[in-house]
Amino acid sequence: PRSMPDDTTALFLLETPILSDTEACILFSCRGMVEQLHRYNDEVLCCTVDTKMKVAHHGYGVATFALLTKDKLRKTSLAGPAGRTQALAPTSHALPIAQAIVHQETDMNYQRLFRKVDELWQASKPGRTPLADMEFQLHKDFKKEIESARIACFPKSRACDDFFHWSQKQHTTMATKCQQVVLKGGKWVKKALPWALAAVRVLRMLPTLPLLSDVWHALLQRLEADDEPHLVGWLRTYERPVPSALAARYASSSQFTYVSFWSGLHGTVPGSGSGSQPAEAMHSPWQRQLTALGGAGSVGHVLTVMQNLYKEHWQNWYNFSSAAALSFTTVVPRPDFLLDLST
């Protein structure tokens, strides 16, 4: 069906699918997912988009656009002196709104998904400000196609590029950019790699934009002095224009350098540090179902898997029947916590 069914879990197409020999983009959702938009308080808005490719034939993938909320304290893994432990924390919870089967992660496919979500957003409440005119955070991967689509559809949004994905490149792309080697423990190792990675991990948490900019330039100057021009060039690819919401806080923001995975003061909404992997976490319960198709399932197979998941898992996990208001900043605090974790 292409109109919204009464059944909250019934999958329906959001518009006429694009399916040809050269491209594919099939937008779909269910009533329970779309109605999450009505419950969401849009004073502070954080969203996420992520795609899992090669889950169907021809390498097709599934893109998911979701809202982020903090509805309760949830179990999470925390690092400490004794190692990693399980504890309760106000972690982000992703609420999927719309999905798309895509042939590739192209700018146009992401634009189709983004514009459809904006339509659903505006239709969910009378007089709602379009997402295209709002300052909000979009947590995403670093792919340039997602970034260009974000700029085209949500020009006032702030991109939160996921540091988890960035750090995965330390043993691949980043290592190949390092030219100088040193003999250590009987092995030749990349001289700049360990300390450069440690420096980036620290500077992404620096509190203010001027401090970030100064330390970032100092890091690049040190690497240039150590004869690492390729590494410097690669790191510069993560420099971005200062987001409009952040630029308003500094009279001379144009003189500062901003990097897309920074999560300091005023850089992101409190409690939403870039790299918290909110998009990654939402895939674990259901990606295995698509993976079971062995990458050979048809579009029909993928839609069937998603329909079953909506009905058997997502309606309970995401509380499709709830009328409670949703917010990114609302968390029920624990009285036995030393600090109030509501933000």
Side-chain angles (χ1 to χ4, degrees):
R2 291 177 185 165
S3 59
M4 190 182 299
D6 293 332
D7 185 347
T8 58
T9 65
L11 183 150
F12 71 99
L13 301 182
L14 292 168
E15 60 182 32
T16 302
I18 298 172
L19 191 59
S20 68
D21 293 338
T22 58
E23 64 175 342
C25 185
I26 304 169
L27 300 171
F28 60 96
S29 186
C30 71
R31 177 181 288 275
M33 291 161 61
V34 172
E35 290 183 344
Q36 305 277 22
L37 292 168
H38 181 76
R39 300 168 53 199
Y40 202 85
N41 179 345
D42 52 358
E43 292 181 2
V44 178
L45 181 62
C46 295
C47 305
T48 181
V49 62
D50 196 49
T51 304
K52 293 301 177 187
M53 295 301 297
K54 299 181 180 179
V55 297
H57 66 168
H58 305 311
Y60 285 10
V62 176
T64 303
F65 190 100
L67 300 177
L68 296 180
T69 184
K70 293 179 182 292
D71 53 353
K72 63 182 180 180
L73 298 172
R74 296 176 178 274
K75 290 183 178 180
T76 189
S77 179
L78 302 176
R84 303 193 71 83
T85 59
Q86 289 290 316
L88 292 175
T91 57
S92 301
H93 185 49
L95 299 171
I97 301 302
Q99 296 186 281
I101 297 174
V102 296
H103 71 295
Q104 289 180 4
E105 293 186 80
T106 66
D107 171 281
M108 185 52 64
N109 279 339
Y110 280 114
Q111 285 200 43
R112 289 163 178 151
L113 177 60
F114 292 169
R115 296 190 193 283
K116 178 53 63 175
V117 170
D118 201 354
E119 289 179 21
L120 297 173
W121 172 263
Q122 294 178 62
S124 63
K125 286 184 180 180
R128 208 167 207 179
T129 303
L131 292 177
D133 298 329
M134 290 182 61
E135 294 177 352
F136 70 96
Q137 289 181 187
L138 182 62
H139 294 250
K140 62 182 184 64
D141 198 355
F142 288 91
K143 289 188 72 70
K144 62 181 181 180
E145 292 82 3
I146 310 178
E147 177 64 7
S148 60
R150 180 194 68 82
I151 294 172
C153 300
F154 308 136
K156 294 185 177 181
S157 65
R158 191 278 202 208
C160 284
D161 289 342
D162 187 27
F163 190 74
F164 168 74
H165 283 107
W166 186 92
S167 61
Q168 283 184 315
K169 298 181 180 181
Q170 63 175 293
H171 299 299
T172 53
T173 306
M174 191 172 181
T176 63
K177 301 298 180 181
C178 296
Q179 294 179 289
Q180 305 304 316
V181 294
V182 62
L183 189 62
K184 188 175 182 180
K187 294 182 179 180
W188 292 102
V189 297
K190 302 288 186 175
K191 181 180 179 181
L193 183 62
W195 70 261
L197 181 62
V200 171
R201 290 185 182 277
V202 171
L203 70 83
R204 68 177 288 264
M205 302 301 293
L206 293 173
T208 64
L209 178 61
L211 184 58
L212 165 74
S213 181
D214 287 346
V215 176
W216 179 257
H217 283 292
L219 169 63
L220 299 185
Q221 289 171 6
R222 167 69 186 277
L223 289 171
E224 287 175 342
D226 286 355
D227 197 22
E228 293 288 0
H230 296 296
L231 181 56
V232 170
W234 180 71
L235 288 172
R236 286 194 184 278
T237 64
Y238 294 100
E239 297 177 357
R240 302 283 188 272
V242 178
S244 57
L246 188 58
R249 296 181 177 273
Y250 299 96
S252 55
S253 61
S254 60
Q255 70 180 358
F256 300 127
T257 299
Y258 166 84
V259 290
S260 59
F261 47 76
W262 178 56
S263 58
L265 184 66
H266 306 312
T268 59
V269 173
S272 67
S274 181
S276 55
Q277 306 177 48
E280 293 301 303
M282 71 171 293
H283 287 106
S284 56
W286 60 273
Q287 187 187 349
R288 290 188 299 272
Q289 301 290 331
L290 290 176
T291 305
L293 298 175
S298 66
V299 168
H301 289 138
V302 173
L303 291 175
T304 299
V305 168
M306 298 314 301
Q307 172 62 94
N308 291 338
L309 285 167
Y310 291 175
K311 183 176 181 179
E312 298 173 5
H313 179 69
W314 283 21
Q315 69 168 324
N316 295 321
W317 182 254
Y318 297 115
N319 297 319
F320 285 172
S321 60
S322 174
L326 297 170
S327 170
F328 185 76
T329 56
T330 300
V331 173
V332 179
R334 281 266 301 269
D336 54 330
F337 280 5
L338 175 62
L339 301 176
D340 178 2
L341 296 178
S342 62
T343 59

